[in-house]
Amino acid sequence: MRSHRFKAQRARFAGLLIVALMAISPVLLYAIQGLNFKPGFNLFSPAQDVEVGQKASGEINSQVQLIRDRQVVDYVTRLGKRLAQFAPNQPRGANYKWTFHVVNNSDINAFALPGGFIYVNRGAIEAAQDEAQIAGVIAHEEGHVVMRHGTHQASQMLLAQAPLSILGQLLGQSSSLASQMAQLGIAFGVNSILLRNSRAAEAQADEVGTYILYQAGYDPYGMAQFFQIIEKKYPQRTIQFFSDHPNPGNRIKNVDQEIPLLGPKKNWKTDSPEFQAVKRRLASMPPPPKPAPKK
Ligand SMILES: [Zn+2]
């Protein structure tokens, strides 16, 4: 009898708790759902993401021309690190490297390597109208990092080639991870599979990017608006972007549906004098070298 009553009380308490949670605010409910940002199938560990990203970053740095100007690089690094504090799904011990580079290329593009190595093209900064837009681009890239899309793609490719048991063993040998991957046909440079995102991955990076923007106090519409504006306004300079980041379709609609779930409308940050100063700084530099032929 006692245990029955206890169970009934517990059930009533659980019911009350649910009602209370629903009543408190959509923010809390979303915070609960927000913990469900789930990366896809992956053969690599988060620590290996860093290892793979580091290797790929070394190669890419020798293939592209980086801008070394302190004002520009420090600005992007500060902004990127601030946003990364709000990125969900950073497993304990993964220690993503959150390293930011600016590429001297007028194509409007940005990309992310596993483990937190993020590249933003000069063209993307020049095309962004305000800080919320460029923050949106960076937050989207951070979404790819924390959802581990690069090594997810590589895992899918590997799985198509070899049985899981063999792959597991190979990738377990962390000391020779890079050479094992090379043997399995994974390249690390600008044409790497690590940079090729599916439409599903894009939709997820949008969702995470918008979440990061909101949490960091930026206008959460900044990201989707920027992607929509550049696609129409600069079709030639965005070819690479939409090849690396295929438009998932309904971008604006998806974000419109997500934002009310994040919480109330706030006094969102849209711009900063620092961002406009960086744009002027870039405008004062010699134009970038002619873009390399498209891959
Ligand atoms: Zn993307």
Side-chain angles (χ1 to χ4, degrees):
M1 284 305 279
R2 269 191 70 172
S3 89
H4 265 123
R5 204 168 56 216
F6 181 64
K7 268 186 197 157
Q9 274 176 352
R10 218 168 43 182
R12 213 166 35 234
F13 176 72
L16 281 173
L17 188 66
I18 290 169
V19 171
L21 278 175
M22 285 167 68
I24 292 170
S25 79
V27 182
L28 184 55
L29 280 183
Y30 193 80
I32 294 166
Q33 287 174 21
L35 298 175
N36 289 333
F37 283 130
K38 280 243 167 60
F41 163 75
N42 208 309
L43 290 165
F44 298 78
S45 68
Q48 286 177 323
D49 273 28
V50 175
E51 195 180 338
V52 168
Q54 195 115 46
K55 163 89 177 144
S57 178
E59 271 191 39
I60 285 174
N61 290 354
S62 69
Q63 292 174 324
V64 301
Q65 193 190 98
L66 296 176
I67 288 184
R68 308 275 182 192
D69 182 83
R70 283 240 73 86
Q71 185 186 349
V72 175
V73 177
D74 286 355
Y75 169 78
V76 171
T77 301
R78 265 200 316 276
L79 177 59
K81 288 197 169 176
R82 195 161 77 232
L83 294 167
Q85 290 173 0
F86 300 95
N89 193 53
Q90 301 193 55
R92 233 172 249 274
N95 296 328
Y96 291 141
K97 288 286 184 243
W98 300 124
T99 305
F100 299 86
H101 295 293
V102 180
V103 183
N104 195 16
N105 186 318
S106 54
D107 283 352
I108 300 167
N109 199 10
F111 56 92
L113 292 167
F117 303 86
I118 292 178
Y119 293 75
V120 181
N121 273 12
R122 172 182 180 171
I125 301 173
E126 288 171 335
Q129 294 158 330
D130 59 32
E131 183 166 282
Q133 291 184 0
I134 200 66
V137 173
I138 296 171
H140 172 99
E141 296 305 329
E142 293 180 346
H144 283 307
V145 172
V146 294
M147 292 295 115
R148 312 186 54 212
H149 290 147
T151 47
H152 168 71
Q153 285 296 118
S155 299
Q156 304 269 54
M157 182 185 137
L158 291 175
L159 198 58
Q161 296 176 359
L164 196 53
S165 56
I166 294 179
L167 292 173
Q169 271 179 9
L170 278 177
L171 297 174
Q173 301 165 357
S174 176
S175 58
S176 55
L177 182 62
S179 63
Q180 301 288 4
M181 285 176 68
Q183 272 179 31
L184 290 163
I186 294 188
F188 285 96
V190 289
N191 293 319
S192 176
I193 179 113
L194 298 168
L195 297 174
R196 239 165 282 156
N197 292 305
S198 64
R199 280 173 209 281
E202 279 312 297
Q204 201 175 36
D206 276 2
E207 200 181 313
V208 175
T210 300
Y211 171 86
I212 294 174
L213 279 184
Y214 182 88
Q215 299 297 336
Y218 282 100
D219 179 354
Y221 294 94
M223 182 204 68
Q225 277 169 354
F226 180 68
F227 292 157
Q228 200 186 35
I229 291 168
I230 58 169
E231 194 173 15
K232 296 221 165 70
K233 200 166 164 190
Y234 310 102
Q236 284 310 309
R237 288 168 59 204
T238 52
I239 291 169
Q240 195 61 50
F241 180 85
F242 288 106
S243 154
D244 293 343
H245 306 267
N247 191 333
N250 300 323
R251 195 158 230 157
I252 301 284
K253 203 175 130 225
N254 293 343
V255 167
D256 279 350
Q257 283 171 351
E258 179 187 351
I259 290 172
L261 299 175
L262 296 174
K265 193 175 189 318
K266 291 188 268 193
N267 197 8
W268 291 320
K269 185 173 181 179
T270 53
D271 205 6
S272 74
E274 292 80 18
F275 174 68
Q276 295 301 331
V278 161
K279 282 187 66 148
R280 284 194 299 275
R281 179 87 180 157
L282 288 173
S284 75
M285 292 179 188
K290 270 203 170 334
K294 301 282 178 237
K295 65 185 176 191

